[in-house]
């Protein structure tokens, strides 16, 4: 299915949805049957939580007296929750035990570095730094000796030039 076919299908689905919407608006009997199947409140237990019907929500937003009672109701509902099952210390202990048991796998799977890895890296870094220092020292010695070689070679070439000139003049 290419893009044009997909767009055509989407337009067709939207047209059907619009037709169903207008059919429901123009046929009150069909709309009443639909209302029987779809609940009027968002939550089936909304009446239990609010202590009344869902229409009271708009009244609570208007009057501060009922707003206070709603907060008290919510506090009561939260205090009724059994917190003994939510033992964070127990959960933390279980998590620590799991991490201890699976730490080697986690380190390997996630490619994590350990303190041993850091010690090895420090040793390798120190060896590399020493090697670089030795190479720098050798380079400086080579540069110095090559400058001396250059001077000696230039002197010999100058001497040869003088000899060649003296032979040419004779």
């Amino acid at each position: 299915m290419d893009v044009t076919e997909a767009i055509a299908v989407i337009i067709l689905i939207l047209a059907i949805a619009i037709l169903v919407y207008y059919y429901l608006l123009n046929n009150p009997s069909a709309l009443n049957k639909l209302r029987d199947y779809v609940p009027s409140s968002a939550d089936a237990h909304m009446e239990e939580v609010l202590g009344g019907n869902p229409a009271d929500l708009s009244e609570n937003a208007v009057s501060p007296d009922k707003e206070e009672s709603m907060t008290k109701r919510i506090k009561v509902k939260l205090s009724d929750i059994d917190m003994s099952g939510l033992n964070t210390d127990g959960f933390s202990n279980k998590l620590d035990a799991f991490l201890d048991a699976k730490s080697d796998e986690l380190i390997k799977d996630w490619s994590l570095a350990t303190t041993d890895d850091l010690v090895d890296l420090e040793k390798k870094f120190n060896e590399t730094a020493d090697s670089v220092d030795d190479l720098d020292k050798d380079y400086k010695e080579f540069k110095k000796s090559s400058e001396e070689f250059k001077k000696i070679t230039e002197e010999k070439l100058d001497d040869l030039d003088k000899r060649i000139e003296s032979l040419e003049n004779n």
Side-chain angles (χ1 to χ4, degrees):
M1 181 185 319
D2 62 339
V3 176
T4 56
E5 291 174 354
I7 292 173
V9 169
I10 291 172
I11 291 172
L12 184 63
I13 291 171
L14 287 173
I16 291 171
I18 291 170
L19 286 174
V20 168
Y21 173 74
Y22 281 114
Y23 172 77
L24 291 174
L25 282 179
N26 293 328
N27 290 332
S29 62
L31 189 59
N32 288 336
K33 286 181 184 177
L34 181 65
R35 285 186 180 145
D36 290 339
Y37 291 112
V38 178
S40 61
S41 67
D43 188 7
H45 303 287
M46 185 67 80
E47 292 177 8
E48 293 175 16
V49 172
L50 296 176
N53 68 16
D56 290 341
L57 280 177
S58 60
E59 295 172 10
N60 283 340
V62 175
S63 67
D65 303 338
K66 291 190 177 188
E67 190 173 313
E68 277 186 37
S69 63
M70 177 58 77
T71 56
K72 288 179 183 176
R73 286 185 205 155
I74 291 174
K75 287 180 184 176
V76 169
K77 293 291 183 184
L78 291 176
S79 64
D80 289 345
I81 296 174
D82 182 24
M83 297 299 277
S84 63
L86 300 173
N87 186 358
T88 56
D89 292 334
F91 179 74
S92 296
N93 291 337
K94 286 180 184 178
L95 184 62
D96 288 342
F98 172 77
L99 290 176
D100 288 341
K102 301 289 183 174
S103 63
D104 292 334
E105 286 181 40
L106 290 173
I107 290 169
K108 183 179 176 186
D109 291 345
W110 292 353
S111 302
L112 300 175
T114 60
T115 53
D116 295 335
D117 295 334
L118 292 176
V119 169
D120 291 341
L121 285 173
E122 286 178 359
K123 286 180 185 176
K124 288 180 182 178
F125 174 77
N126 289 335
E127 289 174 8
T128 305
D130 291 342
S131 297
V132 168
D133 290 341
D134 291 340
L135 285 173
D136 188 42
K137 181 181 173 186
D138 291 343
Y139 172 72
K140 287 179 181 176
E141 288 177 12
F142 171 76
K143 187 176 178 182
K144 184 178 179 181
S145 65
S146 67
E147 288 174 2
E148 290 174 7
F149 177 75
K150 183 180 174 184
K151 286 181 186 177
I152 292 172
T153 306
E154 285 177 2
E155 287 175 4
K156 287 182 180 179
L157 286 173
D158 288 340
D159 186 42
L160 284 174
D161 282 340
K162 287 179 184 177
R163 283 182 172 173
I164 290 174
E165 281 182 26
S166 68
L167 287 173
E168 285 178 356
N169 289 335
N170 286 338

